[in-house]
Amino acid sequence: MDHVTIVEVGPRDGLQNEAQPLGVADRIGMIRALMDAGLKTIEAGSFVSPKWVPQMAGSAEVFAALPKDAGVSFPMLVPNMKGLEGALAAGVEEIAVFASASETFSQKNINCSIEESFGRFAPVLDGAKAAGMRVRGYVSCVLGCPYEGAVAVGAVVRVAARLHAMGCYEISLGDTIGVGTPRAAADMVRAVAAEVPMAALALHEHNTYGQALANILACLDAGVRVFDASVGGLGGCPYAKGATGNVATEELAYMLDGMGIETGVDIDAVCRVALDTCAKLGHAPASGVARVFAARG
Ligand code: HMG
Ligand code: MG
């Protein structure tokens, strides 16, 4: 049976844009429940400025409370050396740096140009390597930018290849505002795969235009085997106007399960996390699968 890895980004991407921040204890409970649902990689938070993203304050406390011997990795977002210092002090074993294929989005999101961001990432990668940390790399706006519109595939390829050459073991290609459609998504992935091995690529789909599962299917056919998703379809970047949630973990797992592709994810258990988390956030999950689960009782 074919296998696909789902990288759960709900506790980070899912919560970073919520009007009602979830406290540390609730975030720990959410992550533990996601572990129980079979997820093996769970992005647990970010070491960014709490002035920029207050929802992720307390990420060190969240990480400290997680079991480290359960065979689950908890990558944490890190934008600069200050973030790396926080991650090192917390004993984090995996981090993720995040670049953009769009100049304007880079400025809005991390307050520097693409080139400057690589200047910040270089010592982060060196320090992480010296400490034995694994580093994942994100590229945002791979299929469009909220400020610039169309983004050239060549820009995506350059940023992805550079992150990989710097030592990122996996490059997650982010459709930050969910504007991509299947052929464009697959063409973009194939172009990146000419420079970075397909096995080192992941797709990070937001579902703003309802295209996420279609894009994932097209990229699955193109050879991608790692997909980011967020429980309950939560998510969105505070610096990407109009961006909504990631593809829902339970909807992705449902599609793959129906195709005979194994994910190790317990769909009902993920639905329970979606409903519990959304109840705390005060809104319904953006997921048909979770809604059906709730209606079944
Ligand atoms: P800056 O203002 O240029 O930073 O922000 P600075 O170095 O000039 O420092 C300014 C202040 O921030 C100082 O504090 C620093 O200590 C503090 P002050 O002296 O004013 O009290 N600071 C920090 N505090 C905590 N942790 C840090 C840190 N760095 C500086 N690491 C910075 C630059 C990157 C910090 C800022 O722009 C920031 O935090 N941005 C947040 C970016 C973010 O988290 N965006 C959402 C995640 S990305 C995303 O969602 C996309 C993704 O999902 C993929 C996709 O969908 O495409 C990954
Ligand atoms: Mg995202």
Side-chain angles (χ1 to χ4, degrees):
M1 193 192 246
D2 210 352
H3 179 85
V4 154
T5 298
I6 298 182
V7 174
E8 172 62 49
V9 297
R12 193 277 304 170
D13 201 332
L15 298 180
Q16 71 183 9
N17 205 29
E18 285 290 331
Q20 173 69 48
L22 216 57
V24 166
D26 284 334
R27 278 145 66 192
I28 294 165
M30 176 189 185
I31 294 168
R32 285 181 173 271
L34 289 165
M35 293 171 69
D36 291 344
L39 288 145
K40 298 289 180 210
T41 305
I42 305 173
E43 217 170 53
S46 52
F47 288 90
V48 299
S49 164
K51 286 184 192 150
W52 283 62
V53 188
Q55 292 90 337
M56 289 293 103
S59 285
E61 287 90 327
V62 170
F63 182 81
L66 299 174
K68 310 301 182 305
D69 55 358
V72 177
S73 45
F74 304 108
M76 309 286 280
L77 249 58
V78 162
N80 55 16
M81 281 305 282
K82 190 169 168 78
L84 178 68
E85 283 154 20
L88 284 169
V92 167
E93 289 169 2
E94 178 170 342
I95 60 169
V97 295
F98 45 110
S100 172
S102 147
E103 206 52 77
T104 314
F105 184 76
S106 183
Q107 287 289 351
K108 300 273 186 193
N109 193 38
I110 50 174
N111 206 23
C112 65
S113 68
I114 296 170
E115 195 55 42
E116 284 164 342
S117 75
F118 277 101
R120 293 178 183 184
F121 299 151
V124 171
L125 265 291
D126 289 347
K129 195 175 170 192
M133 280 176 171
R134 299 211 310 162
V135 185
R136 195 172 196 239
Y138 278 104
V139 186
S140 283
C141 299
V142 298
L143 293 166
C145 168
Y147 305 100
E148 295 182 10
V151 170
V153 172
V156 179
V157 174
R158 272 195 304 281
V159 173
R162 205 162 159 187
L163 286 172
H164 188 248
M166 286 171 95
C168 294
Y169 77 91
E170 185 169 277
I171 309 299
S172 178
L173 299 164
D175 185 6
T176 315
I177 51 167
V179 285
T181 47
R183 282 195 191 127
D187 287 350
M188 178 276 298
V189 154
R190 284 194 197 94
V192 177
E195 301 289 330
V196 179
M198 189 66 91
L201 296 182
L203 188 72
H204 177 103
E205 274 292 331
H206 285 261
N207 197 33
T208 318
Y209 287 80
Q211 303 295 301
L213 282 178
N215 293 344
I216 288 170
L217 186 55
C219 292
L220 186 70
D221 283 346
V224 178
R225 290 294 176 271
V226 182
F227 297 95
D228 299 355
S230 173
V231 58
L234 293 167
C237 175
Y239 303 102
K241 280 181 205 152
T244 58
N246 295 79
V247 64
T249 308
E250 59 275 22
E251 295 201 333
L252 176 57
Y254 178 88
M255 180 184 86
L256 294 169
D257 186 58
M259 294 171 69
I261 297 172
E262 194 247 338
T263 63
V265 169
D266 176 338
I267 297 171
D268 283 359
V270 177
C271 286
R272 259 178 244 118
V273 185
L275 296 170
D276 286 356
T277 307
C278 287
K280 289 182 181 126
L281 294 169
H283 59 72
S287 152
V289 172
R291 275 196 297 275
V292 171
F293 178 82
R296 265 199 340 245

